[in-house]
Amino acid sequence: IVVSYIFITIGKPESVYLALPSSIFISFVIGWVYVSKAKNNESEEDAVRLVKFPKKFALTNVLNKLSLIAFMGLDIVIAKLVLSPVEAGQFALVSLVGKMVYFLSSLTGPLILPMVSKEEGSSGNPIHIFNKIFAITLFFTTVSYLGLGVFGWLTVPMLFGSKMVAVLRYLPFYLLGISSFTLASSIIQYHQSRKKYLISVVSFFVALAQLDYLFDSAKTLNEFCYILGVFGIAQFLIVAILHRI
């Protein structure tokens, strides 16, 4: 949001799309700073110990990325297949706002793996450090949802122009789903860093169910956004329940 506002303020609205990669870069820098400051407590024995390739971690990481693509990438493709050209174009605008919410809310994502792993190695109980990261994620998610979802009628036209007025009514529930998906992703990363992979597998199948439901049931833009919102919320509820078990 901040990057988009800067581009508009300096008279470069055509560069607003750079807000998304800029968010990724900022997230990378934050993660790099925290990781570089972490103390290296490895002993010489640990340094020479043979490390096996983490096959389960790599596989579930692929599943997590596929789930993200299904929720944040393939939606555009499916919209072009099942919606009218006008509504598909409108959904592209809705999806752009959704990606802004996701990238802003997930700025703390790169911190989870290194900090949780480090804490587990030193104390064996990283839940308290995850709770702090999750609280920050929840704050960013809440701010972005309020700014672009609840008050989107004011902020979104300011950022993208009057063409967004036609899709404002779809934003609140759709962005609630995006926000829920973002929070679920943080919990999934936490469990993956602790070598607990069940949630990643379950999340992947939820993503597959979402794609199937979009193809079979979404006929209008309203239905399309509603399904994405429902599955985003369902993703979070399922992950939260498994997290507490």
Side-chain angles (χ1 to χ4, degrees):
I1 298 174
V2 174
V3 176
S4 299
Y5 179 77
I6 292 174
F7 281 130
I8 293 174
T9 302
I10 64 177
K12 297 288 184 178
E14 68 278 3
S15 301
V16 167
Y17 68 92
L18 292 175
L20 298 181
S22 298
S23 299
I24 299 176
F25 178 74
I26 293 171
S27 178
F28 166 77
V29 171
I30 293 175
W32 180 271
V33 171
Y34 273 87
V35 172
S36 63
K37 289 183 178 180
K39 295 181 179 179
N40 185 4
N41 295 321
E42 291 183 350
S43 64
E44 293 183 2
E45 181 180 352
D46 293 331
V48 298
R49 184 183 301 167
L50 292 177
V51 179
K52 295 182 179 180
F53 181 76
K55 296 180 180 178
K56 293 182 179 179
F57 182 91
L59 177 59
T60 53
N61 192 56
V62 171
L63 293 181
N64 291 341
K65 298 302 181 183
L66 291 176
S67 298
L68 176 61
I69 293 173
F71 202 88
M72 301 293 295
L74 292 180
D75 55 344
I76 294 291
V77 177
I78 298 175
K80 291 183 178 180
L81 295 176
V82 303
L83 300 179
S84 66
V86 173
E87 288 192 326
Q90 289 178 335
F91 178 74
L93 299 176
V94 174
S95 180
L96 176 61
V97 181
K99 288 178 174 59
M100 290 181 64
V101 171
Y102 173 79
F103 284 113
L104 178 62
S105 303
S106 59
L107 286 176
T108 56
L111 304 179
I112 296 176
L113 177 60
M115 297 187 71
V116 168
S117 299
K118 177 179 179 295
E119 191 67 20
E120 184 169 23
S122 59
S123 67
N125 185 19
I127 186 62
H128 67 281
I129 191 67
F130 170 71
N131 287 338
K132 293 179 180 178
I133 298 175
F134 188 78
I136 298 173
T137 303
L138 180 60
F139 172 77
F140 284 144
T141 303
T142 302
V143 171
S144 59
Y145 176 70
L146 290 176
L148 295 173
V150 177
F151 298 103
W153 57 271
L154 177 63
T155 58
V156 172
M158 289 176 58
L159 292 173
F160 300 103
S162 59
K163 62 181 178 294
M164 299 297 294
V165 174
V167 300
L168 290 179
R169 62 192 181 97
Y170 305 114
L171 292 180
F173 191 73
Y174 170 75
L175 294 184
L176 181 60
I178 295 293
S179 300
S180 300
F181 176 81
T182 304
L183 296 175
S185 297
S186 296
I187 300 175
I188 292 171
Q189 290 182 63
Y190 166 71
H191 282 266
Q192 187 184 26
S193 66
R194 301 200 66 190
K195 299 180 181 180
K196 297 179 180 180
Y197 306 121
L198 175 62
I199 292 183
S200 295
V201 176
V202 173
S203 173
F204 174 70
F205 281 105
V206 172
L208 292 181
Q210 172 196 284
L211 294 180
D212 181 68
Y213 210 79
L214 284 174
F215 272 116
D216 291 342
S217 303
K219 305 301 180 183
T220 65
L221 178 56
N222 184 59
E223 294 174 348
F224 200 89
C225 293
Y226 180 78
I227 291 172
L228 288 172
V230 167
F231 271 90
I233 296 171
Q235 181 90 276
F236 173 72
L237 293 177
I238 293 172
V239 168
I241 291 173
L242 293 175
H243 175 64
R244 300 297 298 179
I245 295 178

